[in-house]
Amino acid sequence: MTVILAFLANILVAVAKTIAAIITSSASMVAEAAHSWADAGNEVFLLIADRRGAKTKDARHPLGYGRNAFVWSLIAAFGIFTAGSIVSIMHGIQELSDTGPVESPMVAYIVLGVSFVLEGASFTQAMVRSRRLAKERGSSTWDFVLETSDTTLRAVFFEDSAALIGLAIAAGAIAMHQITGVAAWDAIGSILVGVLLGVVAIILIRRNIAFLVGATAAPKLRARVGTALLGLDDIERVTYLHIEYVGPNRLFIVAEIDLAGDAREHDVARRLRDVERRIEAHEAVETVVLSLSVDDEPSLEFARA
């Protein structure tokens, strides 16, 4: 729902900005139109990411299809955001030598104002959700958005943040053009919007690459998982723990454990499988693989998360 609302808002805003750009001949409005069309295109890729990543695991993909979400989000960040950035910067550079007056600036201000309201509504929804989830995990909102495996939420959060900042830049650039009569201010506004898009693109690209190549779990998540394992009656200690994201909010867990008691090998194998099934029943766990610890291996300790 978050992506769909953002997509509809971006389409309306993109059409309005495009019309305003034609009427005003403002470089900043052209950059903002490119920005919104890039955002709308990004939402399409995010919808594809959600759909492809939600497929259940099968024999060919025993860890599921969740990494599809990271792939499509990476394509969106690299292709759409980067394209919007290049268009905005190049157009701004071309318009630096323009000496024309501001045409119908009120049209630009009205469109920018309405866009700010629509983008603000979408950003508020993403912010509220991010704050709630960050609070549940004992993290700051900023750290949560950067570290979360929910690539859709992160993309919408940064997308809407950049949209609001870009609108302020465009309005300021047009105002300076109008006040000073120097058209370079408008062109500078276009360049700044392009730089902003480029920064957002780099952040999103880096985060998606990190998850695709197997980023290690954050210490707080590792502590929560380790504590949860030790909380099971069957597990006395944990000597090895590997946690990897295989999709948004989907974990692949490998652990070496010491089972309680001293049962026969046949019974131990059955107990291991039973513990695995119970762990995999958790909504955030895609697959778990458990093996037995050796007696002389040191136990892992987990700080309270």
Side-chain angles (χ1 to χ4, degrees), residues 17 24 26-33 35 102 105-116 162-180 185-190 192-193:
K17 287 179 181 177
T24 63
S26 166
S28 292
M29 286 307 301
V30 171
E32 275 300 300
H35 185 170
V102 180
M106 189 55 63
V107 173
Y109 292 139
I110 291 173
V111 170
L112 291 174
V114 173
S115 299
F116 196 91
L164 294 175
I165 296 172
L167 290 168
I169 291 173
I174 293 172
M176 289 301 295
H177 182 180
Q178 187 179 7
I179 293 169
T180 64
W185 282 109
D186 194 18
I188 291 171
S190 177
L192 290 177
V193 170

Side-chain angles (χ1 to χ4, degrees), residues 187-209:
I188 291 171
S190 177
I191 294 171
L192 290 177
V193 170
V195 171
L196 175 65
L197 278 173
V199 170
V200 171
I202 290 171
I203 292 173
L204 295 180
I205 287 170
R206 285 174 60 89
R207 293 310 298 150
N208 282 298
I209 288 176

